[in-house]
């Protein structure tokens, strides 16, 4: 009987995800959702229509692939196969099992739900979306209302029709200020008269009759830039062929699978080239993103795309329109509700969104004269009508980041390139990372850097992550919220020992994991298949995800080439190694190069187990500089002319390319970031007097470390330097001291100074007649 029940459930439960029923004191929503997870601030809810005080239930089935004991956890009541998960492990056979999750929001506080499981077969993890299936669909009206909500945003309804619901973001059209420089009056007239005749999926409505369209085209054709786009060379079939190949490789075809026929009738090659370089300047909505093209790439694409002509445009005559009438039409017929246009005034008015009548106006099967004609079919008109009906019950009540995430994914076609839950893209040779786990994988600052500030981690991929501009700001915040991500990881400051041991694991030496075989490291390409640069991993990844990835990468990403290093390693040993790797990665660009990186081309001097001492030119030092690299990744520059430590840095030691290439004579490049810079000049005063000119007496090596020797005003000084976990320590021995000694340390920001003797007063360490002292110089924790 249980087997039969399982088969019946399997036959019914073929839809991915769960059915969500959420309600506040007055309203209810029913939606199909891929996972039950969320993170909400005090004023946020699961759906815009609901207040932050809500109750929610997710119903469906849990798909168990391998029988065993399962433990479930989450900030909700979870019932699996009729049993309360809080009572302990549940024995489950392979197949489908009834699932119910109940959650009640505590008002006035943040809320988070992340449903997790573990078993004898795998460690604790969020339940993947592939394990959720459902037998029920939301009511048709609910589904239609959601579809209508999307359409209202995509068609720009709220550009004209005001609403009290703050969650809607207007979709603006292209800036028309210089549209005459981008295209021509023939194309404009046909486009304005009937956009879908030129592009069947156009969101812009037809609003004007033929004569009116000719008038507006005549006016817009006069709106030109003072300087035209630089012309391009004559058409070259070979370059057009390269452009066609580029169109397929970099991802254009993912959003334009049928190509872009007829653009040669709209653009000249030069104007299209300039548009492709920065489409967001013309159309900030982001629907046409920037692909970060070089000028040559944009030229190749422009030559390919403008080779195609549209027969209707080519056969039409230039419109004989009246530009003055066209200007009046632009200002009075709603054009400026969607399009910016300098020097004009929007004088059109439209009723509030909640006052629109279903089946009338824009939503009529045949809209009357002067009304926008979107070419809506019956299904889309019903969807918009259902949405308007839901909105008339009252405006939206809350920000809803999980809902906003789903809307943004659909609006910007993210799944054309990225896998997300049950959606898998097609058509690319190599696919970008999945979005399914991205909110738990990536730090919020990294997500924002990628979506808003053009940060890229795989620049070698032919398929490119487009730049959509400010349109993705909501998505940047919603991505972690839709995954139920917790708070940001606290920063970690590794010790020198952790960096030393971690970099050994990263390298190819004895006991190393050879991570650099597949991962770039500080700009050095990997030795084989390329993976993201390791120096950015700590800034990019969340710690929990990194640890799960290292323990079982194939579980997070089936088919990955990342090996499971720790499958047969004892638990304590594996955890120690992963902890060392994570600690080492926290050093970021201050990590030294691991063993196995070939540095011959960059002339990078690498410090291993013993200090490296080089007399060389250094920036911001005299020609008598001495560079010292200490094991563990801390280095410093000593100036023999001023007899002082000039500065110290963490990271790689020195890139000698400027000094060793060509004729040389240029300063070497310190390989990390300075954390301490000393004041100029000789640092010691004796009896309150500055020293006119110290004399350098050379250095000796003591256990491999240089001990610098110099004298000033009859005082002999020996100075050595040792490394600390977060900086270095200066050691001084003075002979012949007869007057009070002062040592100038400065007031370095972000640095902690700890003397063994004396008193710190402003920029000075006052020591009396001390013969020996030490000074710790350490980076402060963030």
């Amino acid at each position: 009987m249980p087997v039969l029940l399982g088969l019946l459930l399997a036959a019914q439960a073929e839809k991915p995800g769960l059915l969500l029923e959420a309600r506040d004191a007055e309203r209810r929503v029913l939606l199909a959702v891929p996972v039950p997870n969320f993170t909400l601030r005090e004023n946020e809810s699961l759906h815009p229509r609901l207040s932050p005080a809500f109750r929610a239930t997710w119903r469906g089935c849990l798909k168990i692939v391998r029988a065993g004991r399962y433990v479930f956890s989450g900030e909700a009541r979870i019932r699996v196969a009729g049993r309360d998960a809080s009572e302990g492990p549940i024995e489950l056979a392979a197949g489908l099992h009834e699932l119910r999750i109940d959650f009640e929001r505590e008002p006035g506080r943040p809320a988070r739900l992340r449903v997790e499981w573990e078993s004898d077969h795998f460690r604790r993890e969020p339940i993947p979306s592939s394990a959720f299936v459902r037998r029920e669909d939301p009511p048709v009206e609910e589904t239609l209302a959601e579809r209508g909500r999307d359409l209202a945003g995509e068609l720009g309804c709220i550009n004209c029709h005001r609403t009290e619901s703050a969650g809607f973001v207007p979709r603006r059209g292209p800036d028309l200020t210089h549209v005459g420089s981008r295209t021509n009056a023939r194309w404009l007239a046909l486009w304005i008269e009937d956009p879908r005749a030129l592009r069947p999926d156009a969101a812009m409505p037809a609003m004007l009759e033929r004569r009116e369209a000719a008038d507006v085209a005549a006016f817009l054709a006069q709106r030109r830039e003072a300087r035209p786009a630089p012309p391009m060379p004559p058409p070259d079939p070979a370059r057009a062929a390269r452009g066609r190949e580029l169109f397929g490789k970099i991802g254009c075809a993912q959003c334009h699978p049928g190509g872009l026929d007829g653009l040669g009738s709209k653009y000249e090659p030069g104007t299209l080239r300039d548009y492709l370089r920065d489409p967001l300047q013309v159309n900030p909505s982001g629907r046409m993103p920037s692909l970060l093209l070089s000028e040559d790439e944009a030229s190749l694409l422009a030559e390919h795309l403008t080779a195609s002509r549209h027969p209707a445009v080519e056969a039409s005559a230039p419109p004989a329109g009246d530009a003055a009438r066209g200007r009046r039409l632009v200002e009075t017929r709603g054009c400026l509700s969607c399009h910016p246009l300098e020097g004009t005034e929007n004088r059109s008015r439209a009723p509030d969104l909640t006052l629109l009548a279903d089946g009338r106006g824009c939503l009529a099967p045949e809209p009357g004269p002067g009304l926008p004609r979107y070419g809506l079919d019956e299904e889309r008109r019903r969807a918009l009508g259902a949405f308007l009906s839901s909105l008339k019950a009252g405006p939206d009540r809350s920000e809803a980041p999980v809902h906003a995430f789903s809307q943004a994914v659909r609006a910007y076609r993210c799944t054309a390139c990225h896998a997300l839950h049950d959606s898998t893209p097609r058509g690319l040779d190599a696919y970008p990372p999945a979005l399914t786990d991205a909110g738990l994988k990536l730090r919020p600052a990294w997500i924002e850097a990628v979506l808003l500030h053009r940060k890229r981690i795989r620049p070698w991929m032919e398929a490119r992550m487009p730049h959509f501009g400010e349109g993705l700001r909501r998505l940047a915040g919603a991505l972690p919220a839709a995954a139920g991500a917790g708070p940001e990881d606290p920063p970690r400051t590794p010790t020198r020992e952790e960096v030393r041991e971690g970099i050994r694991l990263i390298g190819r030496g004895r006991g190393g994991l050879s991570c650099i075989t597949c991962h770039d490291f500080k700009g050095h390409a990997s030795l084989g298949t390329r993976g993201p640069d390791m120096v950015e991993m700590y800034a990019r990844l969340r710690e929990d995800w990194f640890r799960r990835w290292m323990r079982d990468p194939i579980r997070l990403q089936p088919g990955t080439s990342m090996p499971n290093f720790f499958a047969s390693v004892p638990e304590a040993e594996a955890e120690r190694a992963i902890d060392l790797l994570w600690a080492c990665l926290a050093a970021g660009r201050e990590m030294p190069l691991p063993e196995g990186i070939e540095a011959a081309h960059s002339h990078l001097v690498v410090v291993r187990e013993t200090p490296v001492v080089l007399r060389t030119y250094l920036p911001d030092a005299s020609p008598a500089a001495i560079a010292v690299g200490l094991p563990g990744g801390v280095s410093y520059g000593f100036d023999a002319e001023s007899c002082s430590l000039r500065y110290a840095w963490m990271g790689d030691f020195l890139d000698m390319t400027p000094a060793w290439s060509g004729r040389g004579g240029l300063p070497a490049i310190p390989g990390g970031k300075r954390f301490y810079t000393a004041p100029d000049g000789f640092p010691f005063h004796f009896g309150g007097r500055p020293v006119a000119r110290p004399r350098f007496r050379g250095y000796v090596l003591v256990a491999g470390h240089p001990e610098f020797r110099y004298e000033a005003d009859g005082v002999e000084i020996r100075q050595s330097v040792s490394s600390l976990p977060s900086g270095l320590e200066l050691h001084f021995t003075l002979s012949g001291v007869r007057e009070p000694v002062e040592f100038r340390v400065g007031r370095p920001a972000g640095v902690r100074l700890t003397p063994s003797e004396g008193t710190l007063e402003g920029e000075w360490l006052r020591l009396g007649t001390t013969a020996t002292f030490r000074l710790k110089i350490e980076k402060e924790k963030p």
Side-chain angles (χ1 to χ4, degrees), residues 16-29:
L18 301 171
L19 183 69
L20 164 65
E21 180 179 357
R23 63 176 71 232
D24 60 14
E26 299 176 13
R27 300 180 186 175
R28 183 186 75 156
V29 296

Side-chain angles (χ1 to χ4, degrees), residues 67-89:
R69 290 194 322 152
Y70 287 77
V71 176
F72 299 89
S73 58
E75 303 84 348
R77 185 185 181 192
I78 304 169
R79 295 185 64 82
V80 181
R83 289 190 54 188
D84 192 325
S86 65
E87 297 175 355

Side-chain angles (χ1 to χ4, degrees), residues 396-427:
D396 290 348
R397 296 179 170 180
S398 308
E399 290 290 329
V402 179
H403 187 269
F405 170 76
S406 299
Q407 277 193 310
V409 166
R410 292 190 294 269
Y412 292 96
R413 304 182 184 181
C414 302
T415 53
C417 295
H418 297 273
L420 177 61
H421 301 308
D422 62 317
S423 176
T424 304
R426 297 284 187 272

Side-chain angles (χ1 to χ4, degrees), residues 476-763:
L479 189 57
E488 178 72 273
D489 298 330
R492 178 165 183 170
T493 303
T495 66
R496 291 293 151 215
E497 179 63 24
E498 288 174 330
V499 172
R500 184 182 299 114
E501 288 299 306
I503 211 69
R504 179 184 62 80
L505 287 170
I506 288 170
R508 301 186 71 193
R510 184 176 180 181
L513 302 176
S514 296
C515 305
I516 55 175
T517 299
C518 297
H519 285 278
D520 288 9
F521 194 97
K522 204 176 290 190
H524 293 265
S526 68
L527 306 178
T529 304
R530 296 188 73 177
D533 198 314
M534 299 194 74
V535 299
E536 295 188 294
M537 282 187 179
Y538 185 83
R540 187 167 62 97
L541 302 176
R542 287 177 177 260
E543 182 177 357
D544 175 69
W545 188 93
F546 173 80
R547 291 181 179 277
R548 289 194 290 122
W549 173 256
M550 293 303 301
R551 289 310 303 251
D552 195 354
I554 201 167
R555 186 161 184 85
L556 273 68
Q557 184 180 324
T560 180
S561 58
M562 171 78 177
N564 189 337
F565 293 108
F566 304 109
S568 57
V569 176
E571 177 78 13
E573 183 180 338
E575 289 301 318
R576 170 63 177 161
I578 294 171
D579 192 64
L580 283 172
L581 285 169
W582 183 245
C584 180
L585 292 173
R589 293 195 171 274
E590 295 177 1
M591 285 189 290
L593 284 184
E595 188 171 348
I597 292 276
E598 298 296 334
H601 295 295
S602 65
H603 303 298
L604 193 66
V605 180
V606 179
V607 179
R608 299 295 186 193
E609 300 299 323
T610 57
V612 175
V613 184
L614 284 176
R615 284 183 176 267
T616 185
Y617 294 110
L618 285 177
D620 303 320
S622 78
I626 300 171
V628 182
L630 302 176
V634 63
S635 306
Y636 64 93
F638 184 89
D639 194 333
E641 182 173 286
S642 62
C643 295
S644 66
L645 182 144
R646 291 297 302 123
Y647 47 81
W649 66 93
M650 290 183 179
D652 288 333
F653 181 34
L654 287 178
D655 183 352
M656 299 297 293
T657 302
W660 292 353
S661 298
R663 298 178 64 182
L666 297 175
I669 303 172
K673 184 178 181 181
R674 296 184 195 182
F675 67 92
Y676 173 73
T677 299
D680 292 335
F682 185 64
F684 284 99
H685 282 194
F686 301 111
R689 300 183 311 277
V691 175
R693 185 174 178 82
R695 297 180 63 187
F696 184 65
R697 296 298 190 184
Y699 68 89
V700 297
L701 294 178
V702 180
H705 291 257
E707 183 184 84
F708 301 105
R709 299 180 176 183
Y710 46 94
E711 66 179 39
D713 280 3
V715 178
E716 295 181 358
I717 304 167
R718 289 181 291 167
Q719 175 184 342
S720 60
V721 181
S722 60
S723 63
L724 297 172
S726 57
L728 44 73
E729 186 175 49
L730 311 184
H731 304 256
F732 294 93
T733 301
L734 287 71
S735 302
V737 174
R738 294 179 298 275
E739 299 175 285
V741 177
E742 297 170 309
F743 184 81
R744 191 181 180 197
V745 294
R747 291 182 176 177
V751 171
R752 183 173 65 253
L753 302 174
T754 309
S756 64
E757 306 289 339
T759 304
L760 284 170
E761 297 180 10
E763 292 191 347

Side-chain angles (χ1 to χ4, degrees), residues 94-388:
L96 298 178
H97 300 271
E98 292 282 353
L99 172 68
R100 180 183 174 110
I101 303 168
D102 292 289
F103 178 90
E104 185 166 357
R105 173 74 177 275
E106 186 174 346
R109 299 184 62 181
R112 182 165 74 99
L113 175 60
R114 188 166 73 197
V115 182
E116 299 182 316
W117 64 357
E118 60 183 299
S119 79
D120 299 332
H121 319 306
F122 55 84
R123 295 170 176 273
R124 181 175 173 176
E125 65 179 13
I127 301 178
S129 58
S130 58
F132 296 122
V133 292
R134 57 187 168 84
R135 299 192 304 273
E136 301 176 77
D137 280 327
V140 172
E141 285 304 307
E142 293 274 0
T143 303
L144 279 174
E146 286 300 306
R147 169 68 173 141
R149 182 182 286 269
D150 282 354
L151 278 171
E154 287 303 289
L155 298 177
C157 299
I158 58 170
N159 295 349
C160 295
H161 302 284
R162 300 181 184 277
T163 175
E164 296 179 29
S165 298
F168 289 98
V169 179
R171 178 185 178 180
R172 300 299 185 190
D175 192 322
L176 300 180
T177 301
H178 299 127
V179 65
S181 294
R182 298 196 300 272
T183 187
N184 56 79
R186 287 192 307 167
W187 184 89
L188 281 168
L190 290 178
W191 172 259
I192 293 166
E193 181 184 354
D194 187 2
R196 276 167 298 285
L198 297 182
R199 199 178 79 201
D201 63 343
M204 178 171 160
M207 291 189 63
L208 306 176
E209 303 306 321
R210 178 167 297 180
R211 182 184 60 79
E212 294 174 323
D215 292 341
V216 171
F219 167 63
L220 294 179
Q222 297 175 352
R223 309 293 296 197
R224 306 181 64 85
E225 293 185 281
R227 290 181 297 176
M232 286 179 57
D236 182 344
R239 286 180 58 82
R242 289 172 58 197
R244 181 171 60 252
E245 182 181 5
L246 191 64
F247 186 90
K249 283 185 175 181
I250 65 176
C252 305
Q254 296 304 108
C255 287
H256 304 286
L260 288 167
D261 292 339
L263 284 189
S265 297
K266 178 181 180 181
Y267 292 105
E268 292 295 325
T271 55
L272 181 56
R273 171 202 60 203
D274 292 351
Y275 172 72
L276 292 174
R277 289 295 306 278
D278 190 8
L280 296 177
Q281 185 177 12
V282 172
N283 187 359
S285 74
R287 295 310 195 273
M288 172 59 197
S290 167
L291 282 167
L292 311 182
L293 300 169
S294 68
E295 183 169 352
D296 186 57
E297 289 171 331
S299 297
L300 290 173
L301 285 171
E303 290 196 46
H304 159 58
L305 293 171
T306 55
S308 171
R309 305 273 174 168
H310 197 288
V313 180
E314 297 302 310
S316 65
D322 184 305
R325 287 201 305 262
R327 181 189 184 101
R328 289 194 295 272
L329 287 166
V330 165
E331 292 185 331
T332 59
R333 296 292 289 275
C335 304
L336 302 180
S337 297
C338 293
H339 296 279
L341 178 53
E342 291 180 8
T344 57
E345 178 186 358
N346 185 11
R347 292 182 283 163
S348 67
R349 296 292 180 267
D352 188 282
L353 198 61
T354 57
L355 299 179
L356 301 182
D358 187 8
R360 299 179 60 185
C362 305
L363 298 182
E366 295 293 335
L371 291 174
R373 302 184 297 278
Y374 287 94
L376 300 173
D377 56 24
E378 175 64 21
E379 180 183 354
R380 291 196 294 170
R381 285 190 284 108
R382 285 182 59 210
L384 285 166
F387 164 64
L388 289 175

